[in-house]
Amino acid sequence: MKAQAAAAPQAEKITAVGCPVAGPATGCLTIMANGKAYDLAGASPAVDMSRNVGVSVTGRSAGETSACGVKLTDVKVDYLGIACGAPT
């Protein structure tokens, strides 16, 4: 039995609510929560930015950070009735 595998910490569960935005690098889509940027590239299906609404995102930290932010796995996205984007 591998003691290291048994002692491995469980991936941290992340919940973030807000407006997804284009991140600092080309092709990035992020959401901010708790002072951190989270990479939404792992969302499947992908976040539909054309809705211009806020989202509630739940997932697990993948344990690594990309140029887009903290990578998430098992990403679930729920669309909210919060308007995002510039006012018209």
Side-chain angles (χ1 to χ4, degrees):
M1 178 194 270
K2 294 183 179 180
Q4 292 173 337
Q10 196 173 21
E12 177 185 5
K13 185 174 181 183
I14 305 295
T15 300
V17 177
C19 294
V21 296
T26 303
C28 288
L29 184 61
T30 64
I31 190 166
M32 293 294 295
N34 304 318
K36 294 181 183 177
Y38 292 97
D39 183 354
L40 297 180
S44 181
V47 176
D48 182 356
M49 292 295 288
S50 69
R51 293 187 182 196
N52 290 326
V53 296
V55 295
S56 173
V57 176
T58 56
R60 298 202 177 275
S61 171
E64 57 186 284
T65 302
S66 71
C68 301
V70 177
K71 286 189 174 188
L72 298 178
T73 60
D74 301 324
V75 180
K76 181 176 184 276
V77 178
D78 291 309
Y79 294 92
L80 308 174
I82 303 167
C84 292
T88 57

